[in-house]
């Protein structure tokens, strides 16, 4: 399982064990992966465009790049920026059905880029690479759905799917997340945790083996037909806050990680 797929699987395993993670290599940083249907040219070009968006955000940490008007022209030339690519059949080992050809099967498309090419594109977009080790983050989060509510700790069984989803959100950006054990909350209950200042949570994060605290909550809203997610993170003496409404918890955690990356990479308010 090459490249980023191997990295994400390894990330999940280390998170479960609570072990520290190494810094990403340049090879891991300058590649991106997406899912395409089959290996045909049409879907490959679609995949190239998606991978271009992903690698620019991954290398820079700035999620706003994909919204810039200049990206429209760059996406049209997405194939020109790819150094090499490879496929992995997501149904590998599953026989092809009589009515199904390989062109119908989902594949992971991994695109590899030369750092100089991506760095030049970032410069054109007014951005820059975010190199070096990315600080590990401890997540201090409460979840509420009707009468069901809890703090998402490392040992909270009701949070298994959420912890996995958080890791899935962190992997593509090479971010590293962990969760404090219940005994590492400093005696804070759900209410106190939501009101705690970030300086206190950052201290608890360090005791949990992380560099920074990412604090937040997700609350189910029937009105919004999804979760309302609120996040906060402190950096360079400033506390940043951002929100998503009416989303799945998978998207809520992607919003959390993308926002944290944007702040920590020095690109400001999510």
């Amino acid at each position: 399982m090459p490249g980023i797929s191997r990295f994400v699987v390894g990330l999940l395993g280390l998170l479960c064990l609570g072990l520290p993670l190494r810094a990403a290599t340049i090879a891991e940083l300058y590649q991106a992966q997406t899912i395409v249907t089959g290996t045909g040219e049409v879907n490959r070009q679609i995949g190239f465009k998606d991978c271009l968006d992903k690698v620019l955000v991954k290398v820079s940490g700035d999620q706003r790049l994909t919204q810039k008007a200049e990206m429209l022209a760059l996406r049209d030339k997405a194939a020109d920026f790819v150094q090499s690519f490879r496929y992995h059949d997501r149904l590998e080992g599953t026989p092809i059905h009589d009515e199904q050809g390989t062109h119908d099967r989902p594949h992971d498309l991994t695109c590899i880029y030369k750092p100089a090419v991506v760095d030049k594109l970032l410069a054109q977009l007014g951005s820059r690479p975010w190199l070096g080790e990315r600080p590990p983050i401890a997540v201090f989060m409460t979840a509420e759905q009707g009468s069901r509510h809890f703090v998402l700790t490392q040992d909270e069984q009701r949070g298994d799917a959420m912890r996995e989803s958080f890791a899935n959100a962190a992997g593509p950006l090479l971010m590293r997340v962990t969760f404090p054990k219940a005994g590492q909350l400093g005696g804070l209950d759900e209410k106190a945790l939501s009101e705690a200042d970030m300086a206190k949570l950052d201290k608890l994060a360090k005791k949990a083996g992380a560099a920074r605290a990412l604090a937040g909550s997700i609350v189910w809203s029937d009105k919004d037909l999804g979760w309302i997610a609120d996040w906060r993170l402190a950096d360079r003496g400033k506390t940043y806050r951002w929100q998503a409404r009416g989303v799945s918890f998978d998207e809520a955690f992607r919003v959390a990680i993308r926002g944290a990356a944007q702040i920590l990479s020095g690109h400001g308010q999510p």
Side-chain angles (χ1 to χ4, degrees):
M1 188 177 296
I4 189 67
S5 297
R6 180 178 59 194
F7 178 83
V8 172
V9 172
L11 173 69
L12 290 171
L14 290 173
L15 284 170
C16 292
L17 295 173
L19 298 176
L21 300 172
R22 60 177 172 78
T25 67
I26 292 296
E28 289 166 336
L29 188 61
Y30 286 88
Q31 65 176 259
Q33 186 179 90
T34 191
I35 300 174
V36 295
T37 302
T39 58
E41 178 67 20
V42 173
N43 286 333
R44 183 185 308 143
Q45 295 302 319
I46 295 172
F48 283 163
K49 293 178 181 180
D50 190 39
C51 281
L52 177 62
D53 281 9
K54 288 181 176 179
V55 77
L56 291 174
V57 173
K58 180 182 182 182
V59 173
S60 68
D62 188 358
Q63 63 181 319
R64 295 171 300 185
L65 292 182
T66 59
Q67 306 304 315
K68 291 198 170 188
E70 298 94 322
M71 283 301 302
L72 293 175
L74 292 179
R75 289 188 188 102
D76 287 340
K77 300 185 293 183
D80 296 343
F81 308 128
V82 178
Q83 179 184 19
S84 62
F85 64 91
R86 60 176 177 265
Y87 287 104
H88 173 258
D89 187 346
R90 293 176 66 86
L91 299 179
E92 185 177 31
T94 302
I96 297 175
H97 302 303
D98 291 340
E99 71 281 4
Q100 179 193 54
T102 56
H103 62 281
D104 294 322
R105 292 164 71 92
H107 286 70
D108 292 322
L109 171 64
T110 300
C111 295
I112 295 92
Y113 300 85
K114 289 184 178 180
V117 171
V118 173
D119 293 354
K120 183 177 180 180
L121 292 175
L122 290 176
Q124 292 174 10
L125 294 167
S127 190
R128 63 190 182 281
W130 179 28
L131 303 177
E133 186 170 1
R134 303 189 173 192
I137 292 172
V139 178
F140 294 84
M141 190 199 88
T142 60
E144 179 182 337
Q145 186 175 19
S147 61
R148 180 175 178 259
H149 54 88
F150 58 89
V151 176
L152 183 62
T153 59
Q154 189 179 134
D155 37 14
E156 171 54 67
Q157 293 183 349
R158 290 172 293 181
D160 287 346
M162 291 185 178
R163 285 189 296 271
E164 181 178 356
S165 178
F166 241 122
N168 288 338
L173 285 175
L174 300 185
M175 297 287 286
R176 297 169 289 159
V177 295
T178 188
F179 304 90
K181 294 181 179 179
Q184 295 175 319
L185 294 177
L188 298 177
D189 59 16
E190 291 178 50
K191 186 175 186 298
L193 188 63
S194 65
E195 297 174 349
D197 64 74
M198 292 307 301
K200 182 172 185 177
L201 294 180
D202 278 341
K203 290 180 181 178
L204 292 177
K206 289 179 172 61
K207 291 181 179 179
R212 297 291 184 86
L214 171 64
S217 65
I218 60 170
V219 179
W220 177 261
S221 169
D222 290 333
K223 178 182 178 181
D224 291 286
L225 298 177
W227 297 93
I228 299 174
D230 289 281
W231 304 107
R232 54 196 174 104
L233 184 146
D235 185 57
R236 300 172 178 89
K238 178 179 179 179
T239 295
Y240 294 85
R241 300 174 184 271
W242 65 105
Q243 186 188 75
R245 302 182 68 92
V247 296
S248 67
F249 67 67
D250 290 327
E251 179 60 16
F253 301 154
R254 285 191 288 266
V255 168
I257 293 297
R258 289 195 299 260
Q262 184 168 316
I263 295 164
L264 294 174
S265 63
H267 289 101
Q269 179 67 42

